[in-house]
Amino acid sequence: MAVSSPFLFFLCFTVLSFSTPPAHSQSIQLPFHPEDVLPLLPRQLAWPILNSLRSPADLLPTFVGAASASSSSSNGTLQWKGACFYENAAWLEFHNKSGSEFGGGTLHVKVSKAHSWTCLDLYVFATPYRVTWDYYFRSREHTFEFKEWEGKAEYEYVKSRGVSIFLMQAGMIGTLQALWDVFPLFTNTGWGEKSNIAFLKKHMGASFEVRPQPWVTNISVDDIHSGDFLAISKIRGRWGGFETLEKWVSGTYAGHSAICLRDSEGKLWVGESGHENEE
Ligand SMILES: *[C@@H]1O[C@H](CO)[C@@H](O)[C@H](O)[C@H]1NC(C)=O
Ligand SMILES: *[C@@H]1O[C@H](CO)[C@@H](O)[C@H](O)[C@H]1NC(C)=O
Ligand SMILES: *[C@@H]1O[C@H](CO)[C@@H](O)[C@H](O)[C@H]1NC(C)=O
């Protein structure tokens, strides 16, 4: 059946929300920052202060860039301003300490110019194949080991794109409070899955219901009509946690979507959202 009316072809790209770094009015180094001492205060006192200081968006990881190895065109060094440390740089070094097929790498992170003596920055390091985190308290060069790349795909990805670095905006204190809520989102377990579902329910009022069996259905191309919409919502695995946070800030309920359209000859086209897929 041919569709003659003109149609709009939508390509929806997943919107990664980058919040702007917090503005720090003081540039001089303070011995401490009021936010740093919050945990020392009695809980009843600390909570209201914390609530007045932070908006939920502070707890989102901010993408600061990708650290890569040096190449002929660049030295691979990424530089950025953190929430606690104002001067930061990171670069990646490949090695083969494990003697495995693709070897591993060392991420060098150099942090300096802390705005107070007690603050620290918490980072999430990610490739499409893993998400891990670390925090920095002292001005110096730190290293983070990737013992072994998971395979050719991760190795090739990191070689060309580097390791993505996200800053947890709220700094350690806010993040620690939020980790109870956010950290389980990133674990690839049944607990992680439950946490993602609970987070979406609590913050977005979204509910997920288990489908009745069978979970696999065979459909043929003829069953697909113009305008059929497919949506995938990841609630588990490496990117499940990021997707949950993306949904929350963007107000969407799907992480990945596709729309099926038939042209005037009845030929089927699928417009798919998202990042480029290299596998
Ligand atoms: C790498 O390059 C950046 C700018 O491209 C520069 O600021 C930085 O000092 C360089 N780092 C090294 C270790 O050469
Ligand atoms: C790492 O070392 C092993 C054993 O020597 C070798 O087979 C492999 O090709 C090396 N991998 C890389 C990426 O250099
Ligand atoms: C789907 O098709 C495959 C292959 O024809 C068959 O083995 C399977 O049982 C079918 N599944 C369902 C749910 O009909």
Side-chain angles (χ1 to χ4, degrees):
M1 179 60 203
V3 178
S4 54
S5 60
F7 54 76
L8 284 172
F9 192 77
F10 288 106
L11 268 182
C12 328
F13 290 93
T14 309
V15 180
L16 247 182
S17 303
F18 302 143
S19 48
T20 48
H24 288 280
S25 47
Q26 294 124 319
S27 54
I28 46 162
Q29 189 175 43
L30 300 170
F32 70 90
H33 195 275
E35 294 171 30
D36 300 335
V37 296
L38 276 179
L40 305 177
L41 300 174
R43 221 185 134 91
Q44 311 88 285
L45 203 61
W47 270 111
I49 297 176
L50 197 73
N51 289 342
S52 68
L53 283 174
R54 307 189 178 289
S55 79
D58 283 350
L59 307 175
L60 288 170
T62 302
F63 179 66
V64 297
S68 40
S70 58
S71 64
S72 52
S73 56
S74 93
N75 65 16
T77 304
L78 168 75
Q79 289 171 309
W80 75 95
K81 183 176 174 219
C84 166
F85 293 95
Y86 285 174
E87 275 181 20
N88 307 283
W91 65 97
L92 188 67
E93 185 196 339
F94 283 89
H95 62 61
N96 195 358
K97 290 177 191 161
S98 58
S100 57
E101 193 179 355
F102 302 105
T106 303
L107 180 67
H108 296 262
V109 183
K110 197 172 165 185
V111 302
S112 56
K113 296 245 160 71
H115 75 82
S116 83
W117 296 344
T118 45
C119 70
L120 47 79
D121 275 342
L122 189 123
Y123 287 101
V124 172
F125 306 124
T127 75
Y129 309 90
R130 72 178 83 207
V131 176
T132 114
W133 61 286
D134 204 355
Y135 60 87
Y136 302 115
F137 182 61
R138 261 187 252 147
S139 291
R140 65 177 177 91
E141 190 183 318
H142 304 264
T143 55
F144 190 87
E145 279 301 319
F146 293 89
K147 238 180 90 203
E148 215 178 289
W149 305 120
E150 279 192 14
K152 188 171 191 309
E154 184 175 35
Y155 174 61
E156 294 293 341
Y157 178 92
V158 173
K159 246 190 359 187
S160 65
R161 306 286 183 82
V163 172
S164 297
I165 301 180
F166 296 84
L167 169 68
M168 298 300 283
Q169 276 300 356
M172 193 59 178
I173 308 311
T175 304
L176 263 188
Q177 306 274 4
L179 277 183
W180 294 114
D181 230 13
V182 173
F183 189 64
L185 302 180
F186 294 95
T187 61
N188 188 16
T189 59
W191 177 50
E193 183 177 310
K194 278 208 196 79
S195 306
N196 277 288
I197 292 173
F199 188 96
L200 292 169
K201 189 165 177 65
K202 184 171 158 199
H203 297 283
M204 297 182 72
S207 57
F208 287 79
E209 276 164 40
V210 179
R211 267 178 54 167
Q213 296 269 17
W215 288 348
V216 180
T217 310
N218 287 335
I219 54 166
S220 76
V221 175
D222 296 335
D223 298 330
I224 301 172
H225 306 283
S226 220
D228 282 352
F229 182 74
L230 308 167
I232 295 174
S233 194
K234 264 187 226 161
I235 48 172
R236 181 168 172 168
R238 293 187 186 97
W239 290 102
F242 273 113
E243 215 189 86
T244 293
L245 294 175
E246 273 175 45
K247 282 176 197 151
W248 178 40
V249 288
S250 63
T252 175
Y253 294 95
H256 191 83
S257 54
I259 182 140
C260 304
L261 297 159
R262 287 190 183 276
D263 64 16
S264 50
E265 268 104 59
K267 196 171 159 207
L268 182 66
W269 296 84
V270 180
E272 203 182 340
S273 76
H275 314 283
E276 56 206 295
N277 191 353
E278 298 188 42
E279 276 196 304

